């Protein structure tokens, strides 16, 4: 693990070396003036950003954000830069990024054209399928089985719109049940207040794997959307976005991004040592080979 952290730091330093003479503005000036950077973290977005048993933020996107922090330290010559964290939800993550409360949102946010009107995105670092988790005993296999039933999804996500837009979901009269975050909604599924939880497949896998009875659940139904997931930052800040993009590009080119993927998706992870065993998709391999911030609409058009 120490070797991986050292490698990430070296890559981050290399990514910004050529830009060190540039005058500061935007987020980098804010960080320099404050002597701190604030990461927006999620509390239950397995395995991208979540809390371990000691309530410390960990995950695939946390590691990537830490590499970006190392790049910022190098750029600003601030080895003792204070790193703060701020828990965010699907509902408040964009406002807290826009208003400067968080500098990097290191969660599980889909990059789409509507959100690009408000914020900017780093190059894609994960691509997910939106599906639904159910109890096996429910007999639910398809969106068509949801008619008249309560369906949980997290406030501020695109899941309900995706159900209604899907040809199988059109005309299905399900009842929406809302709450603040993923763990809350999975609890609704566990306690039978909802018959399905619609969300990114990796988040569903993580919640199921860390539940009290993983064998009771299944991920079923139609794929609602292929969505690029990326770290979020403020819009109209080319200097900071350039540093973020250069850092992730260097991680991708050096192979460190693939190693981080293996660490979080193909190895035992805290808190229970569960291995999600999710091989990297062809779509993500392509995104890593050619780092980009294309929105989900570009994937739907293919």
């Amino acid at each position: 693990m120490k070797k991986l952290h050292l490698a990430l730091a070296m890559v981050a330093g290399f990514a910004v070396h050529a830009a060190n003479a540039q005058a500061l503005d935007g987020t980098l000036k804010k960080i320099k003036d404050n002597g701190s950077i604030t990461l927006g973290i999620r509390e239950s977005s397995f395995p991208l950003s979540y809390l371990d048993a000691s309530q410390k933020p960990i995950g695939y996107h946390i590691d990537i954000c830490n590499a970006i922090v190392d790049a910022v330290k190098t750029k600003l010559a601030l080895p003792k830069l204070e790193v703060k964290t701020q828990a965010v939800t699907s509902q408040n993550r964009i406002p807290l990024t826009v208003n400067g409360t968080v500098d990097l949102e290191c969660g599980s946010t889909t990059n789409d054209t509507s959100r690009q009107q408000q914020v900017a995105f780093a190059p894609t670092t994960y691509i997910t399928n939106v599906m639904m988790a159910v109890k096996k005993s429910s007999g639910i296999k398809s969106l068509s089985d949801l008619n008249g039933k309560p369906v949980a999804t997290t406030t501020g996500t695109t899941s309900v719109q995706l159900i209604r837009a899907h040809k199988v979901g059109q005309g299905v009269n399900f009842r929406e049940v809302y709450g603040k975050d993923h763990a809350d909604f999975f609890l609704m599924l566990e306690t039978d207040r909802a018959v399905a939880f619609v969300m990114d497949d990796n988040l569903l896998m993580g919640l199921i794997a860390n539940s009290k009875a993983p064998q009771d659940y299944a991920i079923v139904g139609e794929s609602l959307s292929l969505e690029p997931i990326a770290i979020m930052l403020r819009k109209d800040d080319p200097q900071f976005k350039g540093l973020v993009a250069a850092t992730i590009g260097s991680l991708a080119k050096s192979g460190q991004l693939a190693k981080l993927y293996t660490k979080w998706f193909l190895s035992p992870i805290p808190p229970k040592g569960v291995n999600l065993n999710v091989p990297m998709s062809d779509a993500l391999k392509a995104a890593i080979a050619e780092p980009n911030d294309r929105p989900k609409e570009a994937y739907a058009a293919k």
Side-chain angles (χ1 to χ4, degrees):
M1 196 60 61
K2 289 182 179 179
K3 289 183 179 179
L4 177 58
H5 181 75
L6 179 61
L8 292 175
M10 291 175 64
V11 168
F14 177 77
V16 297
H17 178 73
N20 275 340
Q22 187 178 2
L24 298 179
D25 60 21
T27 300
L28 287 175
K29 185 177 187 305
K30 171 181 176 284
I31 293 169
K32 178 80 170 181
D33 291 346
N34 294 341
S36 66
I37 184 170
T38 301
L39 309 183
I41 60 97
R42 298 299 294 268
E43 296 182 330
S44 58
S45 290
F46 300 94
L48 303 181
S49 177
Y50 66 102
L51 301 180
D52 66 11
S54 66
Q55 302 300 292
K56 176 185 175 183
I58 58 172
Y60 176 63
H61 272 174
I62 298 298
D63 280 356
I64 294 172
C65 278
N66 284 335
I68 296 170
V69 169
D70 287 339
V72 171
K73 289 179 180 178
T74 300
K75 167 71 176 176
L76 302 180
L78 288 176
K80 295 184 179 181
L81 178 66
E82 181 183 5
V83 181
K84 301 178 180 179
T85 59
Q86 168 70 51
V88 300
T89 67
S90 296
Q91 192 170 19
N92 68 19
R93 58 190 168 180
I94 291 177
L96 291 180
T97 301
V98 172
N99 71 18
T101 300
V102 301
D103 300 308
L104 288 170
E105 193 271 334
C106 312
S108 53
T109 303
T110 297
N111 177 355
D112 64 26
T113 54
S114 64
R115 287 171 176 163
Q116 285 189 1
Q117 301 303 308
Q118 303 177 72
V119 295
F121 288 89
T124 296
T125 39
Y126 187 70
I127 295 177
T128 189
N129 255 320
V130 178
M131 300 185 72
M132 62 180 174
V134 301
K135 282 188 174 178
K136 293 177 181 177
S137 59
S138 70
I140 293 172
K141 302 292 185 184
S142 168
L143 296 177
S144 60
D145 297 325
L146 298 178
N147 203 43
K149 297 180 173 65
V151 176
T153 191
T154 309
T155 302
T157 66
T158 59
S159 302
V160 168
Q161 298 96 303
L162 291 172
I163 295 174
R164 300 202 186 283
H166 195 280
K167 62 181 180 180
V168 177
Q170 292 175 1
V172 175
N173 186 27
F174 60 91
R175 180 159 51 90
E176 301 166 26
V177 183
Y178 288 107
K180 73 165 190 173
D181 213 343
H182 308 319
D184 293 340
F185 286 103
F186 194 79
L187 181 61
M188 290 182 181
L189 182 61
E190 284 185 310
T191 56
D192 298 315
R193 287 176 286 165
V195 299
F197 179 25
V198 180
M199 189 46 58
D200 300 352
D201 58 359
N202 63 289
L203 303 183
L204 296 177
M205 292 172 197
L207 289 164
I208 289 172
N210 288 284
S211 69
K212 297 175 183 177
Q215 69 280 359
D216 290 350
Y217 302 93
I219 298 175
V220 301
E222 298 78 9
S223 172
L224 300 180
S225 180
L226 191 69
E227 305 203 344
I229 308 297
I231 291 162
M232 189 165 58
L233 54 150
R234 277 182 289 285
K235 189 176 173 65
D236 299 325
D237 190 350
Q239 188 179 73
F240 188 51
K241 182 171 180 176
L243 182 145
V244 170
T247 302
I248 291 177
S250 294
L251 292 174
K253 185 176 181 180
S254 69
Q256 294 302 323
L257 199 57
K259 289 181 180 179
L260 288 177
Y261 186 95
T262 297
K263 172 185 172 182
W264 291 103
F265 290 90
L266 294 167
S267 308
I269 60 174
K272 294 186 176 181
V274 173
N275 186 342
L276 297 183
N277 195 25
V278 182
M280 187 181 292
S281 66
D282 290 341
L284 182 55
K285 289 177 183 177
I288 290 176
E290 183 189 347
N292 66 85
D293 63 351
R294 289 193 292 267
K296 76 171 186 177
E297 289 79 5
Y299 290 81
K302 290 184 177 181

